Amino acid sequence: MFEVFLVSIIYWTSLLVVFIWLNRRLSSLKEKIADLEVGEE
């Protein structure tokens, strides 16, 4: 039973890390797009 608990913790932690990483990538991409839009005007 302990193994299942451990695997579950690893799974959810990795999912959280991936989500945070994607969120940071998305925000940096939005900043780049905003900079490009400002540059065009």
Side-chain angles (χ1 to χ4, degrees), residues 28-41:
S28 69
L29 192 67
K30 282 180 182 175
E31 284 177 14
K32 285 179 184 174
I33 290 170
D35 288 344
L36 284 173
E37 285 176 348
V38 167
E40 287 177 358
E41 290 175 1

Side-chain angles (χ1 to χ4, degrees), residues 9-28:
I9 287 176
I10 291 169
Y11 173 76
W12 287 112
T13 304
S14 62
L15 207 66
L16 188 68
V17 167
V18 167
F19 180 74
I20 290 170
W21 179 76
L22 282 174
N23 209 9
R24 288 179 63 185
R25 288 290 303 255
L26 195 65
S27 65
S28 69

